Amino acid sequence: MKPTDTKQKIMDTAEHLFARDGYRGTSLRAITGKAGVNLAAVNYHFGSKTSLLETVIRRRILPLNQIRKKRLEQLRENARKKKKTPDIKDVLTAFIEPTLLFMESSPGAKNFIAFIGRSFTGPDDTVRKVFMRFIKPMFYLLFEAACDSLPNQPQETIFWRLHFTMGALFHTMQLSGNVDIGPKNLHADINAKSLINHIIPYITAGMKAR
Amino acid sequence: MKPTDTKQKIMDTAEHLFARDGYRGTSLRAITGKAGVNLAAVNYHFGSKTSLLETVIRRRILPLNQIRKKRLEQLRENARKKKKTPDIKDVLTAFIEPTLLFMESSPGAKNFIAFIGRSFTGPDDTVRKVFMRFIKPMFYLLFEAACDSLPNQPQETIFWRLHFTMGALFHTMQLSGNVDIGPKNLHADINAKSLINHIIPYITAGMKAR
DNA sequence: GTCTATAGATTGATAGAC
DNA sequence: GTCTATCAATCTATAGAC
């Protein structure tokens, strides 16, 4: 087995188990056992459990953030050219569509999306801090774009409504993944396209309310 | 110290720490240490950590569910009398207002509300199963009432939109509590009335969309 | 009912042979 | 790079004196 294989296997398995059982609920022994590698390999390749977590997160979130950023910037650029404010629906779509589509880019990505959804709300400081670091800048980009789109709404209102939107999104993201999570069986077909078609009209109406 | 005091202290402290650090992240030593009681007292009074969790949850959720149920039933009864369908805004308010107002009924309740918000999405089977058992019947009541209010929407759409609504609600609930959770500092004043005023228009518009 | 002491299991991390 | 063996810490739970 090539060294890269071992490293990769650990990351993929960790991603899967973190999504299913949480960071705290996943022991290094569970990861290495399922991955079929030696326990000591984790600390050899990653140094520590925390470092493994960070690597797992970084691997997926950097490319994802790049796509989201690009789409938001494109949207504002187009609007500037036409001298119009961007439509709030388009702003929300630019942020959410890549996020949910991303889960179909690979089976592992599905787990990762579920992991984000659960972690952002979770009580685990270690996990949330890592995610926060990567997601906060994206949220501010989204906030700015939303303010452009809704110039008549007070910023506090926009902030709260984006907060609700994130809640709806995260709660939806944690339904994805191969892992058997709570109420998943109630939703027969969870695919990105269907999720997008359901969530976009809801949050668009919510952002525009009154 | 009276025996009831010890029991009460354990429950209050557990509620606080469960909300802040999660069920898994809270050890019995942390609870008894902060409560100023002996470690063995937990197993004497409650039998096990799981049983303590269940007692902590049951204590708050039974009265809360009773209020929510009463308000939903009252609403449907009134609508029946007037031979009108209940307004979806009133339905959502009947469910959400008691939930968020509840957090101001006592300092402990605040922690509890935060705990619900975090647990429902969390990866911990032990916690989610207990909550599910209590919350599922309430969700079905809400679902029925929402279907009455929106007779022109397909049930699948209503189901998904209630899912998003729960996501927004849970994400908001976890901001409450005395505990210092992530982005709390961004929200200067978190009080039930303000939260209600922000969330009701958002989710009402979302449920009605298109 | 409350305490000390400890059993019994699991954890992340590491030392050292190969 | 991979393995075995193990350390030191932590956990829930319990036995038994008072």
Side-chain angles (χ1 to χ4, degrees):
Chain A
M1 197 188 292
K2 279 183 295 183
T4 48
D5 283 351
T6 298
K7 209 171 168 180
Q8 202 85 11
K9 260 194 169 206
I10 292 175
M11 290 174 71
D12 291 343
T13 311
E15 183 172 64
H16 180 89
L17 293 181
F18 286 164
R20 196 187 66 187
D21 303 327
Y23 174 72
R24 267 185 190 148
T26 304
S27 68
L28 294 183
R29 280 168 179 81
I31 296 171
T32 52
K34 195 174 166 71
V37 304
N38 189 273
L39 170 63
V42 171
N43 282 292
Y44 176 79
H45 284 289
F46 299 93
S48 70
K49 191 186 178 185
T50 313
S51 182
L52 167 61
L53 171 71
E54 184 145 350
T55 311
V56 165
I57 293 177
R58 184 188 300 270
R59 170 175 69 153
R60 303 269 187 206
I61 211 155
L62 288 185
L64 175 56
N65 272 354
Q66 209 156 9
I67 298 170
R68 293 199 274 212
K69 194 177 167 192
K70 200 174 184 178
R71 286 199 51 173
L72 278 175
E73 280 169 352
Q74 244 168 13
L75 198 66
R76 301 185 79 182
E77 181 66 17
N78 281 348
R80 210 178 45 78
K81 274 184 196 156
K82 295 185 198 157
K83 302 200 193 271
K84 289 202 304 184
T85 59
D87 194 285
I88 183 67
K89 184 185 173 183
D90 295 333
V91 170
L92 295 169
T93 305
F95 185 86
I96 284 174
E97 200 173 60
T99 309
L100 291 177
L101 280 180
F102 186 72
M103 78 189 221
E104 286 177 349
S105 65
S106 80
K110 232 174 185 175
N111 292 332
F112 183 72
I113 290 296
F115 187 38
I116 298 183
R118 329 199 91 201
S119 302
F120 210 82
T121 321
D124 197 311
D125 258 358
T126 314
V127 182
R128 201 176 48 252
K129 271 180 188 161
V130 178
F131 270 112
M132 277 289 201
R133 188 148 38 87
F134 289 108
I135 288 179
K136 240 181 188 168
M138 288 308 308
F139 183 81
Y140 289 139
L141 266 187
L142 176 63
F143 181 63
E144 274 180 43
C147 287
D148 284 355
S149 295
L150 303 167
N152 295 328
Q153 298 276 16
Q155 292 210 347
E156 197 202 346
T157 300
I158 295 177
F159 182 85
W160 274 109
R161 291 183 179 179
L162 281 181
H163 169 84
F164 301 140
T165 300
M166 289 298 115
L169 178 63
F170 291 145
H171 200 221
T172 302
M173 284 163 79
Q174 62 129 351
L175 290 179
S176 85
N178 300 321
V179 294
D180 54 332
I181 290 172
K184 187 189 168 186
N185 50 339
L186 288 174
H187 318 263
D189 59 329
I190 300 191
N191 61 78
K193 202 129 193 174
S194 163
L195 289 180
I196 292 167
N197 286 339
H198 274 110
I199 199 173
I200 294 289
Y202 177 91
I203 59 179
T204 302
M207 293 296 302
K208 281 185 185 167
R210 192 182 311 169
Chain B
M1 198 186 290
K2 280 183 292 181
T4 49
D5 283 350
T6 298
K7 209 170 167 181
Q8 202 84 13
K9 258 194 172 209
I10 291 174
M11 290 174 70
D12 292 343
T13 311
E15 183 171 63
H16 179 88
L17 293 181
F18 285 164
R20 197 186 64 186
D21 304 325
Y23 174 73
R24 267 185 190 147
T26 304
S27 68
L28 294 183
R29 280 172 177 80
I31 297 171
T32 53
K34 195 175 165 71
V37 304
N38 190 273
L39 170 63
V42 172
N43 282 292
Y44 175 80
H45 284 289
F46 299 94
S48 71
K49 190 186 178 184
T50 312
S51 181
L52 167 61
L53 170 72
E54 184 144 349
T55 311
V56 164
I57 292 177
R58 183 188 300 271
R59 169 174 71 153
R60 304 270 186 206
I61 211 156
L62 288 185
L64 176 56
N65 272 354
Q66 209 156 10
I67 297 171
R68 294 198 275 210
K69 195 177 167 192
K70 200 174 185 177
R71 286 198 51 174
L72 278 175
E73 281 169 351
Q74 245 170 12
L75 198 66
R76 302 185 78 183
E77 181 66 17
N78 281 348
R80 209 179 46 78
K81 273 185 196 155
K82 294 185 199 157
K83 302 199 191 267
K84 290 201 303 183
T85 59
D87 194 286
I88 184 64
K89 183 185 174 184
D90 295 333
V91 170
L92 294 169
T93 306
F95 185 86
I96 283 174
E97 200 173 61
T99 309
L100 290 177
L101 280 179
F102 187 72
M103 79 189 220
E104 285 178 349
S105 64
S106 82
K110 233 174 184 174
N111 292 332
F112 183 73
I113 291 297
F115 187 37
I116 297 182
R118 327 199 92 200
S119 302
F120 211 81
T121 321
D124 197 313
D125 258 359
T126 314
V127 182
R128 201 177 47 252
K129 272 180 187 160
V130 178
F131 269 113
M132 278 289 200
R133 187 148 39 85
F134 288 109
I135 288 179
K136 241 181 188 168
M138 289 309 308
F139 183 80
Y140 290 140
L141 266 185
L142 176 63
F143 181 64
E144 276 181 42
C147 287
D148 285 355
S149 295
L150 303 167
N152 296 328
Q153 298 275 18
Q155 292 211 347
E156 198 202 346
T157 301
I158 294 177
F159 182 85
W160 273 109
R161 291 182 179 179
L162 280 181
H163 169 83
F164 302 140
T165 300
M166 289 298 116
L169 178 62
F170 291 145
H171 199 221
T172 302
M173 284 162 79
Q174 62 130 350
L175 289 179
S176 83
N178 301 321
V179 293
D180 54 331
I181 289 172
K184 187 189 167 186
N185 50 341
L186 288 176
H187 317 261
D189 59 330
I190 300 191
N191 61 77
K193 202 127 194 174
S194 163
L195 289 180
I196 292 167
N197 286 339
H198 274 110
I199 199 173
I200 294 289
Y202 178 90
I203 58 178
T204 303
M207 292 297 302
K208 281 186 185 167
R210 193 183 311 169

